[in-house]
Amino acid sequence: MKKNWPLWEVFVRSKNGLEHRHFGSLHATDAEMALENARDVYTRRNEGVSIWVVESKHITASNPQDNGELFEPAQDKIYRHPTFYELPDELKHM
Amino acid sequence: MKDKNLYNYILGIADNSLILGQRLGELCGHGPNLETDIALTNISLDLFGQTRSYYQYAAKIAGNDKTEDDVAFLRIEREYRNVLLVEQPNTHFGYVIARQFLFDTFHLLLMEKLQNSGDEHLAAIAKKGIKEVSYHHRFSGDWIKRLGDGTDESHEKIQEAIDGLWRYTDELFHVTEDDALVIEAGIGVNVSQLKEEYYKQVSEILTEATLTVPENKYFAKGGKEGVHTEQMGYILAELQYMQRTYPNMNW
Amino acid sequence: MSEKEVKNLEAIFETRIARDEKIEPKDWMPEKYRQTHIRQISQHAHSEVVGMLPEGNWITRAPSLRRKVALLAKVQDEGGHGLYLYSAAETLGISREEMYEQLHTGKAKYSSIFNYPAITWADIGAIGWLVDGAAIINQVALCNTSFGPYARAMVRICKEESFHQRQGYEILLTLCNGTPEQKAMAQDALNRWWWPSLMMFGPRDAESPHTEQSMKWKLKRKTNDELRQQFIDQTVPQAEILGITIPDPDLKWNDTLKKYDFGEIDWDEFWQVVKGHGPCNKERMNARVSAWENGAWVRDAAMAYAEKQEKKKVAKAS
């Protein structure tokens, strides 16, 4: 047999109100163990109130080679940002 | 009940955490992989944390400026009151998990009762400890199932360990003379009443793990009265090495 | 890809690094960058994991409960740091098992300092103070290195390590404020750990062939000699507070250069240990190999169990 333990990605919410953030990865045989290992490895210093684990192979990642077509078209759409609009300084609450 | 009875009663609980923590401490850096190594060390750290709370309280009861370290390091073997189960060696990972599981199941039942102790100090320690011990119990129970229902080899190894350690389980429910007085005072837990529930829970998990519940009816005891197995001397030799070689110093 | 195209990509790559942009695992990278990073990150991870051994030996013998839990937590942290680093290396397409294989067969190196024995309690203090002190100097610089996963692992590690050195120094401080016997124990530890600690920064710049490339990739921010000097300059005053003597008769403050001059390092000893003939090379490797081999049935069992459970789940669903 000799199958290695799969890799998991760990996401931790450090306190309620904040999003889960990617903390790192680890090896585990199943989701239950991945959660326990994540608890033991990544929250030893009280870093979390909630953990997500997902097996790394289930993550679909965009390819950096496509970054041009994926992300550059958004660069010049500056009208999506509030600073694009010129308004008088006296104007309040906007 | 006298202070001496309470002191001994506390050691009867605390010494289990000390000696099991020490055994797990031996494994740090030698686990089957990093994740498991780190998890076992967390358990060890929890146990030492509990040990310190108990010993600080025991030292206060003993008076004479005794410290937690005096209690931990400066007794002779006959004065340690841990059960024989926790002093058994890390023969292989199966023994580590079996020892942990057989102890955790008891430990959790004990903490659940001790949190209602008439002694507020002990109740507080138990309340805090219960969360830690629940996790230990979950961890060791999960591993019992993994090893029991894993490969043929692991099944055989964990069964061997359960069989080997079974004879130390009965002692967990033994009530000493000190214990009886402390129980009477509404402070101690009558562990003999936990026995049925313990074997029920243990059997459930062993069965789920496709393991056979041992039928051995011959049990060993003595740890609670300070009569230990031959393992104990070696544990204490390491534990006490510094304090005995360099007496009366601060570290 | 043609040679010209590769050259072109390399040029873009180097400009990105020069602009302080981070490189992420899926980005194109020169093969040499990948290999160098696998080598360095795994070597770093191995050092953490082998580094658990000399200190781990003292967990059962720590002289007080307070020291025991601190040491246990520290050694555990080292395991955690090894884990973070192996994970970072894994993003480059090598498995943890392959890295272990390289360690166990002697193909991969780890920090030579862990081939020295920890024989007294004061050694635990000296390791925390000097060895962690030297490591921190290297690691702080690496928080800014160009490879994203490595840099992020280092940030986490540096944050966690901050108690390690303090823990070691406090041990020595207690010894130095204790009995003459305790102070002598501290001095003896300093005598044995001082020179090996200086060796941790590697060979002199003139004999360090990879420095230029490593500086470009921000795997190094300062040269070996610069880091060594920084370590000495910050450590000498700390030794003075302890009241113990650094075992170097040539050590003295150079008021012109505003730094300490120091004596010659025994480079023969350095190379002897690097080549596998230090006091504990064999013991350390044996310990790692047996932990891994004795754990094989455990890892296999957990995997087999998970597969059985998965099958049961699938069978139930269908």
Side-chain angles (χ1 to χ4, degrees):
Chain A
M1 36 184 302
K2 289 287 163 272
K3 265 181 88 178
N4 296 326
W5 290 14
L7 192 66
W8 296 70
E9 301 302 323
V10 179
F11 300 82
V12 177
R13 185 202 295 288
S14 38
K15 61 176 193 189
N16 272 7
L18 297 181
E19 68 279 63
H20 285 78
R21 203 164 60 77
H22 184 235
F23 260 45
S25 35
L26 48 75
H27 291 268
T29 53
D30 53 48
E32 187 69 16
M33 192 206 271
L35 269 183
E36 290 177 9
N37 288 349
R39 177 261 193 195
D40 284 321
V41 172
Y42 287 105
T43 64
R44 298 198 303 282
R45 287 177 170 78
N46 216 359
E47 292 98 331
V49 295
S50 161
I51 301 174
W52 289 348
V53 290
V54 57
E55 202 176 334
S56 310
K57 70 174 184 198
H58 295 312
I59 290 182
T60 311
S62 66
N63 195 327
Q65 279 163 8
D66 301 334
N67 278 11
E69 59 186 77
L70 286 179
F71 307 119
E72 277 173 32
Q75 280 172 7
D76 65 353
K77 310 293 192 292
I78 49 173
Y79 44 79
R80 286 202 174 99
H81 299 280
T83 47
F84 176 75
Y85 301 93
E86 287 176 26
L87 297 173
D89 290 345
E90 310 88 83
L91 185 75
K92 300 294 176 206
H93 307 299
M94 193 173 285
Chain B
M1 183 195 78
K2 297 202 177 71
D3 276 358
K4 184 74 194 157
N5 305 125
L6 180 59
Y7 177 80
N8 282 338
Y9 179 76
I10 296 170
L11 296 191
I13 300 174
D15 288 351
N16 289 336
S17 295
L18 173 74
I19 300 301
L20 187 54
Q22 182 80 354
R23 275 295 190 214
L24 293 172
E26 293 171 17
L27 289 171
C28 184
H30 305 274
N33 62 7
L34 283 172
E35 285 82 353
T36 317
D37 202 309
I38 291 167
L40 286 171
T41 304
N42 269 348
I43 297 180
S44 179
L45 281 166
D46 285 343
L47 291 169
F48 282 127
Q50 296 162 8
T51 306
R52 292 185 69 187
S53 306
Y54 290 123
Y55 285 172
Q56 281 160 14
Y57 182 35
K60 218 168 82 187
I61 294 171
N64 294 330
D65 293 329
K66 240 193 199 325
T67 67
E68 56 170 13
D69 288 332
D70 295 334
V71 182
F73 297 96
L74 297 177
R75 282 179 282 155
I76 58 166
E77 180 171 329
R78 292 285 271 105
E79 292 167 340
Y80 284 84
R81 302 170 60 85
N82 58 282
V83 291
L84 303 177
L85 175 66
V86 295
E87 68 199 45
Q88 299 313 306
N90 304 320
T91 309
H92 58 57
F93 190 77
Y95 279 86
V96 174
I97 291 301
R99 181 184 64 206
Q100 196 65 41
F101 170 68
L102 293 174
F103 180 71
D104 290 342
T105 309
F106 164 78
H107 201 190
L108 186 55
L109 291 170
L110 174 66
M111 290 295 111
E112 281 166 355
K113 295 281 181 218
L114 191 64
Q115 64 175 338
N116 302 318
S117 165
D119 181 303
E120 56 173 12
H121 260 97
L122 286 180
I125 298 173
K127 254 192 203 108
K128 179 168 178 289
I130 211 164
K131 294 174 194 142
E132 296 168 345
V133 178
S134 304
Y135 187 78
H136 304 170
H137 183 246
R138 166 174 162 177
F139 175 88
S140 59
D142 282 351
W143 269 105
I144 287 282
K145 290 179 223 162
R146 286 190 191 107
L147 298 180
D149 198 13
T151 62
D152 290 347
E153 185 186 4
S154 71
H155 180 90
E156 202 175 292
K157 284 202 148 100
I158 189 67
Q159 184 73 60
E160 167 207 324
I162 291 283
D163 292 348
L165 295 174
W166 195 255
R167 65 201 186 99
Y168 300 115
T169 53
D170 188 64
E171 190 197 6
L172 294 165
F173 311 101
H174 174 64
V175 176
T176 65
E177 279 172 35
D178 286 306
D179 294 352
L181 293 169
V182 178
I183 294 166
E184 213 171 276
I187 289 173
V189 176
N190 187 349
V191 285
S192 68
Q193 292 171 355
L194 305 176
K195 190 166 171 175
E196 199 181 327
E197 178 64 17
Y198 173 85
Y199 282 111
K200 189 177 140 249
Q201 289 186 13
V202 165
S203 302
E204 269 170 20
I205 297 218
L206 291 183
T207 309
E208 197 188 331
T210 73
L211 294 164
T212 312
V213 181
E215 284 175 13
N216 168 29
K217 296 275 183 283
Y218 298 97
F219 295 101
K221 66 172 187 199
K224 285 186 178 176
E225 263 105 17
V227 182
H228 293 277
T229 59
E230 290 181 350
Q231 297 296 331
M232 191 65 179
Y234 297 98
I235 296 177
L236 295 183
E238 286 190 36
L239 180 75
Q240 301 186 341
Y241 165 61
M242 291 296 293
Q243 291 272 349
R244 297 294 190 192
T245 315
Y246 307 94
N248 304 316
M249 298 185 197
N250 290 320
W251 301 99
Chain C
M1 227 183 291
S2 75
E3 208 174 302
K4 199 177 148 206
E5 280 170 317
V6 173
K7 278 265 170 296
N8 193 22
L9 281 171
E10 273 177 14
I12 297 173
F13 181 84
E14 299 294 349
T15 344
R16 287 182 62 194
I17 293 185
R19 272 204 307 261
D20 255 340
E21 271 182 49
K22 296 286 181 218
I23 306 302
E24 293 297 340
K26 282 176 76 102
D27 291 346
W28 184 89
M29 60 185 78
E31 195 47 30
K32 191 161 170 230
Y33 182 90
R34 181 185 302 276
Q35 291 311 331
T36 304
H37 276 77
I38 289 178
R39 198 183 62 231
Q40 172 158 341
I41 300 170
S42 65
Q43 191 170 315
H44 196 161
H46 296 327
S47 301
E48 296 281 355
V49 171
V50 178
M52 297 172 82
L53 299 169
E55 289 176 285
N57 280 335
W58 277 90
I59 290 168
T60 56
R61 287 176 291 169
S64 72
L65 291 175
R66 180 172 178 271
R67 293 289 178 216
K68 194 187 283 285
V69 291
L71 180 62
L72 193 49
K74 176 183 190 248
V75 180
Q76 181 194 44
D77 268 354
E78 281 153 16
H81 299 168
L83 193 154
Y84 307 156
L85 289 162
Y86 284 125
S87 301
E90 279 178 274
T91 65
L92 289 166
I94 184 168
S95 69
R96 199 194 290 177
E97 288 75 14
E98 286 172 283
M99 290 185 267
Y100 275 153
E101 177 71 22
Q102 292 177 349
L103 174 68
H104 297 163
T105 55
K107 200 180 147 211
K109 297 259 176 281
Y110 56 88
S111 181
S112 277
I113 193 80
F114 302 117
N115 291 318
Y116 288 86
I119 51 180
T120 71
W121 173 249
D123 288 14
I124 299 306
I127 292 174
W129 174 38
L130 299 173
V131 176
D132 288 293
I136 289 166
I137 288 186
N138 270 319
Q139 288 172 343
V140 166
L142 283 170
C143 289
N144 231 334
T145 190
S146 65
F147 185 54
Y150 194 24
R152 289 192 286 276
M154 288 321 307
V155 169
R156 177 171 286 275
I157 289 171
C158 284
K159 226 189 265 171
E160 297 189 352
E161 287 252 343
S162 54
F163 98 81
H164 294 185
Q165 197 190 12
R166 296 171 70 97
Q167 178 256 174
Y169 194 79
E170 198 196 73
I171 288 174
L172 290 178
L173 199 58
T174 310
L175 293 179
C176 290
N177 291 330
T179 64
E181 205 178 0
Q182 283 175 302
K183 192 162 183 183
M185 193 192 281
Q187 179 66 57
D188 171 59
L190 175 57
N191 293 349
R192 284 179 290 107
W193 288 92
W194 174 253
W195 291 104
S197 300
L198 297 190
M199 294 178 198
M200 282 178 72
F201 297 96
R204 273 179 303 218
D205 293 347
E207 275 112 59
S208 179
H210 301 302
T211 295
E212 199 193 340
Q213 181 70 82
S214 296
M215 297 280 262
K216 223 159 69 183
W217 287 341
K218 299 179 179 166
L219 268 171
K220 264 188 185 171
R221 311 303 299 243
K222 289 179 183 171
T223 70
N224 294 355
D225 286 335
E226 283 168 344
L227 292 170
R228 190 165 15 242
Q229 187 69 51
Q230 183 187 335
F231 174 73
I232 292 169
D233 292 345
Q234 73 182 43
T235 307
V236 174
Q238 296 170 350
E240 281 163 6
I241 293 177
L242 292 173
I244 47 181
T245 313
I246 289 174
D248 179 358
D250 297 325
L251 185 78
K252 62 170 190 295
W253 179 248
N254 182 326
D255 207 37
T256 329
L257 296 174
K258 300 288 174 212
K259 65 181 180 68
Y260 282 93
D261 292 330
F262 57 97
E264 187 62 22
I265 291 170
D266 181 352
W267 293 108
D268 289 340
E269 178 183 319
F270 173 78
W271 289 112
Q272 179 179 338
V273 183
V274 169
K275 286 179 181 151
H277 307 288
C280 299
N281 296 57
K282 298 247 166 359
E283 287 84 345
R284 301 295 182 240
M285 218 24 60
N286 287 345
R288 284 311 317 155
V289 171
S290 39
W292 186 244
E293 287 177 354
N294 294 336
W297 70 271
V298 178
R299 297 189 300 274
D300 289 348
M303 202 62 237
Y305 175 80
E307 285 171 346
K308 278 187 203 172
Q309 294 302 310
E310 190 60 35
K311 262 189 210 142
K312 272 188 207 163
K313 232 193 272 169
V314 173
K316 235 188 206 162
S318 61

